[in-house]
Amino acid sequence: MFEPNKIIVTGGCGFIGSNFVHWVVDNTQCDVVVLDKLTYAGNPENIAGLPEDRVRLVVGDICDAALLDELVPGVDAIVHYAAESHNDNSIADPSPFLHTNVEGTYQLLEACRRHGKRLHHVSTDEVYGDLALDDPARFTEETPYHPSSPYSSTKASSDLLVRAWGRTFGVQATISNCSNNYGPYQHIEKFIPRQITNIICGIRPKLYGDGKNVRDWIHTEDHSSAVWTILTKGTPGETYLIGADGEKNNIDVLHAILEGMGQPADAFDWVRDRPGHDRRYAIDSTKLRTELGWQPQHTNFAEGLAQTIAWYRENEAWWRPAKEATEAKYAKQGQ
Ligand code: NAD
Ligand code: TDX
């Protein structure tokens, strides 16, 4: 059992990173240094109000080796969430994805090597490519890498760097590959919050392609408990898949949002498909459940979705400033 007293959480002002920081404060004694560049996706309000003696925000870039040399000696481990995370943005401009996802992970690995610290690397199921809708298979830790988009190829690259630094330099690192998250603080460029906030704004929701693409949904709080489990109980050098058996196609999710917000089932627009759009993701998380004893708590998607809709209704001041620019970007792409 690894029991860290203080960790760096990179990307701790983003969606999943900030939910993890809340989870750590609420469920452990561990203190947190959030290292975040505050890109368009990072918002310090996501961690506002947390106790100052437990959580400190350092605004900076994970590619800044000198800054890492200041911060890393003072902690027991790094939990690495920082990334450029949106597929559509990676198609419009891949360059920041190379910088943060590849170079940034490299700099963190080198800092862990210099200072003898542990790393937990947060990655995605998208590194495995996609499955056919009628394929009974799900992704496992043994599935070959086959990424489709600039985003997922940079995440795959970062995973391979972590494995190589473990094997060649002995860096103590674990990797997790998680399925699609939903919950509070998710940027409104992503599918679920985009549609919820569209409806609140009187804009019709937008569905890509034929709407039959399947995503395997997990509540972000379950992702947080899984990452903490892997950090503290996982074996360095190992990869663990995180998922909560939440496969659903996009049109069913959109119908659930429309119904939950009192809209007719056909009150949306079909729009241009995403180039290279992955068909289906599905996670088999047996290893994490049997070896480390993790279980998801939020297994009722309808309930989690209703809470998420309520959160966006109650926190309009949080998302409203980004809405116009986000939709303008999509309009330019015909989406
Ligand atoms: P997000 O885009 O909401 O947040 C990313 C955060 O990283 C932001 O706070 C941003 O300011 C910060 N950041 C970006 N570049 C940085 C840099 N160079 N230096 C320091 N900070 C930087 O992303 P998210 O959806 O919360 O995803 C977090 C992580 O989880 C990513 O690594 C992503 O690949 C992974 N992941 C996401 C999902 C999902 O469903 N969203 C699923 C599986 C894995
Ligand atoms: O307006 C939309 N309409 C639509 O039909 C948007 C924004 C998306 N979609 C579709 C595309 C996908 O099939 O919804 C699905 C989900 O899209 P995103 O929210 O963009 O997520 P996805 O591309 O599946 O990637 C997400 O999960 C894996 C995260 O953004 C990644 O960071 C994570 O690695």
Side-chain angles (χ1 to χ4, degrees), residues 14-16 36-37 39 42 61-62 81 85 100 123 151 155 181:
F15 163 44
I16 309 180
D36 198 297
K37 189 177 169 181
T39 67
D61 193 324
I62 56 169
Y81 285 92
S85 69
T100 291
S123 192
Y151 162 69
K155 290 300 289 187
N181 283 223

Side-chain angles (χ1 to χ4, degrees), residues 15-261:
F15 163 44
I16 309 180
S18 64
N19 275 286
F20 179 72
V21 174
H22 281 270
W23 192 95
V24 169
V25 168
D26 291 345
N27 294 281
T28 80
Q29 304 295 316
C30 185
D31 293 339
V32 177
V33 177
V34 170
L35 173 58
D36 198 297
K37 189 177 169 181
L38 301 183
T39 67
Y40 79 96
N43 188 341
E45 282 177 36
N46 298 6
I47 54 167
L50 291 174
E52 281 173 25
D53 57 337
R54 301 274 318 271
V55 179
R56 178 164 80 98
L57 171 60
V58 176
V59 179
D61 193 324
I62 56 169
C63 296
D64 182 344
L67 177 60
L68 295 179
D69 279 339
E70 276 175 40
L71 299 177
V72 175
V75 300
D76 304 309
I78 300 175
V79 181
H80 175 32
Y81 285 92
E84 286 294 332
S85 69
H86 192 38
N87 275 299
D88 293 319
N89 292 345
S90 82
I91 296 165
D93 177 13
S95 147
F97 291 73
L98 273 294
H99 173 82
T100 291
N101 301 1
V102 183
E103 171 76 14
T105 304
Y106 159 71
Q107 292 295 351
L108 291 168
L109 283 164
E110 285 291 79
C112 286
R113 180 154 85 103
R114 283 194 297 277
H115 301 289
K117 303 292 180 181
R118 246 173 111 128
L119 177 76
H120 177 73
H121 175 63
V122 177
S123 192
T124 169
D125 58 0
E126 298 193 17
V127 300
Y128 300 114
D130 60 355
L131 299 160
L133 295 182
D134 59 357
D135 189 339
R138 299 193 289 171
F139 299 137
T140 73
E141 288 77 5
E142 312 307 323
T143 304
Y145 274 38
H146 198 62
S148 312
S149 72
Y151 162 69
S152 55
S153 63
T154 59
K155 290 300 289 187
S157 307
S158 64
D159 293 9
L160 299 183
L161 293 177
V162 175
R163 289 186 186 178
W165 262 244
R167 174 156 171 164
T168 302
F169 302 120
V171 170
Q172 302 280 291
T174 41
I175 299 175
S176 55
N177 298 83
C178 187
S179 60
N180 283 61
N181 283 223
Y182 73 101
Y185 299 110
Q186 184 166 32
H187 195 280
I188 54 166
E189 68 193 354
K190 304 295 194 317
F191 180 56
I192 290 178
R194 183 183 183 202
Q195 315 314 336
I196 295 170
T197 56
N198 272 357
I199 293 168
I200 295 172
C201 293
I203 303 169
R204 282 163 72 87
K206 312 289 180 214
L207 197 56
Y208 296 174
D210 64 5
K212 290 185 185 151
N213 303 64
V214 169
R215 297 296 182 262
D216 189 352
W217 294 98
I218 182 172
H219 194 280
T220 187
E221 221 171 271
D222 286 330
H223 189 183
S224 294
S225 67
V227 166
W228 182 260
T229 301
I230 297 165
L231 175 70
T232 55
K233 294 195 201 163
T235 305
E238 292 292 317
T239 288
Y240 300 87
L241 263 53
I242 305 173
D245 301 331
E247 277 188 74
K248 282 178 185 33
N249 71 26
N250 292 339
I251 190 147
D252 285 349
V253 173
L254 182 54
H255 279 147
I257 294 170
L258 288 163
E259 194 187 338
M261 299 184 73

